[in-house]
Amino acid sequence: MTMEVAESDTDKRQLHSKRKRGDDGDIDLSLLEAVERSHNTVEVLDLKTLKKLVFSFERRLKENIEARLKYPDQPDRFADSEVELHEEIQKLKVLSGSPELYPDLVSLNAVPSILGLLSHDNTDIAIDVVQLLQDLTDEDALEDNDEPARALVDALVENSVLELLVQNLQRLSESDSDEMAAVYNTLATIENLIEVKPTVSELVCERTKLLRWLLAKIRAKEFDSNKQYASEILAILLQNSTANQKKLGQMNGVDVVLQAVALYKSKDPKTSDEEEMLENLFDCLCCLLMPLENKERFVKAEGVELMIIIMKQKKSAYGSAVRALDFAMTKYPPACERFVDVLGLKTAFAAFMGKIPLNKRNKRERYQEELEERIVSLVASLFDGISRGSRRERLLSKFVENECEKIDRLMELYVRYSDRVKAETERLNQLKFEELEMDEDEIYSRRLESGLYTLQLIAIILGHLWCSEHPGMRARIENLLKLQKLTKKDVIDILQEYHDNIGDLDGPDEKERAQGRIQKFISAL
């Protein structure tokens, strides 16, 4: 039985069009015509066939190296070997259909030879190898083949695939569609490697200049598919790595991402792809805002002001700007103070009251719900970050104006989230009664996801308002609780559960401070 391994027209044009970087002279057209007419076949892949493929590839590689050394200034003398080498690389793509043979490919020591071609003088050969690597590491190829995938990825990383891929990326000018495709495939390969081996996300940033390349790419004003993909890869690299977040912050990354986002402060993306890129950029920004030092950089770069402008312009990035502000102000008083100083309260409380700009994107119910939860978190951060002085008074006064309408809104949210959490708690208790295996931590986690976390934040805001000792606000809260057949004890129970589940992720001192603050609310109520 045989399997066709045919070249695409693009592959032929890519190698044989007169694009040899650093080479002069013409390629033998008769040879190209022969390649066009040929059909290469290999037997269905097994170990024996794999050995034949690798042996043939190594032989053509050796011949190409020898021809280039013998005739360095006569491209027409080594053109034949280049075409034949290209053919062998194409044949190796059939391996992606048999990932169970990847450990054998590694043991045959073919990986160093393949990766060596990423530095080939002919960029087209390097592009061939990038396509091969993308195929071999593709998610579809590796499905249900975890061990073989790890064997290949480990070998690739040990043989400097990350360094070679990024070096190749840096020499691609994206001057034509082939190089554009090569950039995309390089990024796809890096993403595939991270999928198989998550530690690659930090290794690639330690060992290469990929972060610098990605920053340069997202800084470009013109939108294209590779800028979109660069934003996605950057978000992946930052997602679960404090080291990468800090490293990018030190590289002026906060400012660069803010500049990229600022292009959309008064306009919407033109396409769904561009919209996705903008979301990726905000994902990057929110990840960057995890370390404390990057929050400081965000404030210095006038990120707070930019987010408020985006909210005021009421474009599609409105919700993303709220999310970024929430990240910036969480446990960082200077951002909260700046927010009040630059008159952000009016904009934030318009959103708090449900005055959210509607467009085709944010009409979705889940979008509005997420935005609502973010705004509650933002207001809670403001109360936590501004403990005294005129800024605190300005914040508190928002809940008194217009006949305490914001307390009415707060209690409306309290009742809605309380009902939702009660329903979920009853459902989980029923599942537990039916002996479904769930421990207390899992039950608590599910309740948090169903709205308990937002309910806790609302209770904390109520605690801040109650501790202000403003008689009008206290009376309003008590009346509204009574109206809903609730008592202060209900709020205290929520606060107590929150108090008891505060972890020590930020250290024992921070845990004690947080618990002390909640205990103060409980005592006051």
Side-chain angles (χ1 to χ4, degrees):
M1 184 178 176
T2 61
M3 185 182 299
E4 294 290 332
V5 184
E7 282 189 313
S8 69
D9 290 340
T10 302
D11 288 335
K12 294 166 189 167
R13 285 197 305 273
Q14 176 175 300
L15 186 77
H16 310 319
S17 60
K18 182 100 171 18
R19 280 202 308 115
K20 292 184 177 293
R21 283 74 177 170
D23 295 344
D24 295 311
D26 296 321
I27 295 174
D28 185 347
L29 289 177
S30 62
L31 178 65
L32 299 188
E33 287 164 3
V35 170
E36 294 284 349
R37 289 194 301 269
S38 70
H39 286 280
N40 303 296
T41 61
V42 297
E43 296 171 11
V44 169
L45 211 56
D46 56 17
L47 181 55
K48 183 179 178 182
T49 314
L50 173 62
K51 287 179 178 178
K52 284 182 183 177
L53 279 172
V54 170
F55 176 75
S56 181
F57 164 73
E58 295 280 6
R59 186 174 75 248
R60 296 302 186 193
L61 173 58
K62 183 181 177 185
E63 288 171 358
N64 179 244
I65 292 171
E66 289 173 349
R68 275 185 167 267
L69 288 172
K70 191 172 181 180
Y71 307 107
D73 301 319
Q74 297 174 277
D76 58 314
R77 303 295 292 270
F78 57 71
D80 293 4
S81 68
E82 219 111 296
V83 172
E84 288 164 351
L85 179 58
H86 163 78
E87 290 289 298
E88 294 304 322
I89 296 170
Q90 299 306 307
K91 287 179 185 177
L92 287 174
K93 289 183 180 181
V94 76
L95 269 166
S96 63
S98 303
E100 68 278 2
L101 292 175
Y102 286 179
D104 298 303
L105 179 70
V106 173
S107 63
L108 289 169
N109 204 33
V111 169
S113 300
I114 292 170
L115 293 183
L117 290 175
L118 286 170
S119 304
H120 199 281
D121 287 341
N122 182 349
T123 309
D124 293 325
I125 294 292
I127 287 174
D128 285 341
V129 174
V130 169
Q131 178 64 66
L132 172 64
L133 292 173
Q134 201 273 334
D135 286 355
L136 294 180
T137 59
D138 186 75
E139 184 181 0
D140 292 337
L142 300 181
E143 192 174 4
D144 301 324
N145 285 278
D146 293 348
E147 289 303 321
R150 277 192 285 272
L152 176 63
V153 171
D154 284 343
L156 290 171
V157 173
E158 286 165 15
N159 285 279
S160 305
V161 69
L162 302 174
E163 293 88 335
L164 291 165
L165 280 172
V166 175
Q167 286 169 14
N168 193 50
L169 195 61
Q170 290 172 315
R171 69 171 177 157
L172 292 168
S173 64
E174 299 183 77
S175 57
D176 58 38
S177 60
D178 291 333
E179 292 208 359
M180 287 280 288
V183 168
Y184 188 92
N185 290 333
T186 302
L187 296 177
T189 302
I190 291 170
E191 182 180 8
N192 293 343
L193 295 172
I194 293 170
E195 186 70 28
V196 176
K197 189 182 176 80
T199 55
V200 165
S201 67
E202 290 194 355
L203 287 175
V204 72
C205 296
E206 287 170 12
R207 298 180 182 180
T208 76
K209 294 181 179 178
L210 179 61
L211 284 178
R212 196 165 296 284
W213 186 91
L214 292 170
L215 281 181
K217 189 66 186 169
I218 66 167
R219 187 186 272 121
K221 289 186 178 180
E222 294 75 21
F223 172 79
D224 60 43
S225 59
N226 284 344
K227 181 178 178 181
Q228 177 193 353
Y229 206 179
S231 69
E232 185 178 336
I233 295 298
L234 189 58
I236 290 169
L237 293 173
L238 295 173
Q239 194 168 23
N240 296 308
S241 172
T242 302
N244 288 350
Q245 293 161 5
K246 290 183 175 182
K247 188 179 180 73
L248 195 68
Q250 292 162 359
M251 295 167 61
N252 200 35
V254 174
D255 201 51
V256 172
V257 175
L258 284 173
Q259 288 174 33
V261 164
L263 294 174
Y264 299 91
K265 67 183 178 184
S266 56
K267 68 174 184 178
D268 285 333
K270 294 177 182 176
T271 65
S272 59
D273 287 344
E274 195 170 359
E275 186 177 300
E276 186 179 324
M277 182 203 68
L278 183 56
E279 279 302 298
N280 291 337
L281 290 173
F282 272 104
D283 286 344
C284 292
L285 185 58
C286 291
C287 289
L288 277 170
L289 287 168
M290 299 293 279
L292 196 65
E293 57 266 39
N294 285 345
K295 292 176 189 279
E296 183 180 354
R297 293 184 175 106
F298 177 82
V299 172
K300 285 184 177 177
E302 299 184 352
V304 173
E305 289 89 329
L306 176 60
M307 296 305 114
I308 292 171
I309 289 170
I310 291 172
M311 289 177 70
K312 285 181 176 178
Q313 292 291 328
K314 299 179 179 178
K315 298 297 181 182
S316 64
Y318 180 95
S320 300
V322 173
R323 183 162 63 105
L325 283 170
D326 183 32
F327 272 87
M329 296 197 294
T330 299
K331 297 178 183 177
Y332 192 62
C336 299
E337 292 166 359
R338 175 66 68 85
F339 186 82
V340 176
D341 291 346
V342 297
L343 309 179
L345 290 178
K346 181 179 179 181
T347 306
F349 277 101
F352 179 78
M353 292 301 294
K355 297 172 184 175
I356 299 167
L358 292 177
N359 55 44
K360 62 178 181 180
R361 178 168 168 269
N362 64 21
K363 279 181 180 176
R364 297 196 299 268
E365 186 177 338
R366 183 57 195 149
Y367 171 88
Q368 293 186 321
E369 196 173 275
E370 287 174 2
L371 186 53
E372 191 174 82
E373 290 167 1
R374 286 288 176 195
I375 285 290
V376 168
S377 178
L378 188 151
V379 172
S381 291
L382 282 169
F383 272 112
D384 189 35
I386 302 170
S387 57
R388 62 180 65 86
S390 61
R391 295 187 185 98
R392 177 81 174 185
E393 292 303 317
R394 287 164 67 184
L395 178 58
L396 286 168
S397 70
K398 284 289 173 183
F399 286 85
V400 181
E401 67 184 20
N402 296 331
E403 298 181 352
C404 298
E405 65 174 5
K406 293 170 187 68
I407 295 180
D408 295 353
R409 171 68 170 166
L410 192 66
M411 290 307 301
E412 174 197 325
L413 294 171
Y414 177 91
V415 171
R416 175 144 45 90
Y417 280 90
S418 179
D419 289 345
R420 189 187 302 173
V421 172
K422 282 175 187 171
E424 178 66 7
T425 303
E426 288 171 8
R427 190 183 73 83
L428 291 170
N429 286 338
Q430 181 62 33
L431 290 175
K432 191 177 177 184
F433 178 75
E434 293 169 1
E435 298 183 354
L436 195 77
E437 290 184 13
M438 272 194 301
D439 59 25
E440 292 302 319
D441 287 344
E442 186 178 352
I443 290 174
Y444 184 66
S445 178
R446 290 205 186 183
R447 290 175 65 233
L448 286 174
E449 290 171 6
S450 73
L452 177 60
Y453 179 65
T454 300
L455 181 60
Q456 290 170 341
L457 292 178
I458 293 168
I460 288 169
I461 296 169
L462 285 170
H464 280 288
L465 296 177
W466 192 267
C467 286
S468 72
E469 299 184 356
H470 188 287
M473 285 199 282
R474 282 190 170 187
R476 191 72 165 203
I477 291 168
E478 284 190 314
N479 287 336
L480 290 168
L481 284 169
K482 191 180 296 183
L483 197 64
Q484 296 294 333
K485 296 183 174 57
L486 297 168
T487 66
K488 286 186 288 180
K489 174 71 166 52
D490 295 298
V491 181
I492 289 170
D493 288 344
I494 294 164
L495 290 170
Q496 188 65 56
E497 185 177 24
Y498 179 77
H499 172 280
D500 296 343
N501 284 281
I502 292 174
D504 57 2
L505 193 65
D506 297 320
D509 291 343
E510 176 58 27
K511 176 180 178 178
E512 188 177 339
R513 187 196 78 82
Q515 287 185 323
R517 182 193 66 186
I518 301 301
Q519 190 57 54
K520 177 186 169 188
F521 298 154
I522 292 170
S523 300
L525 282 160

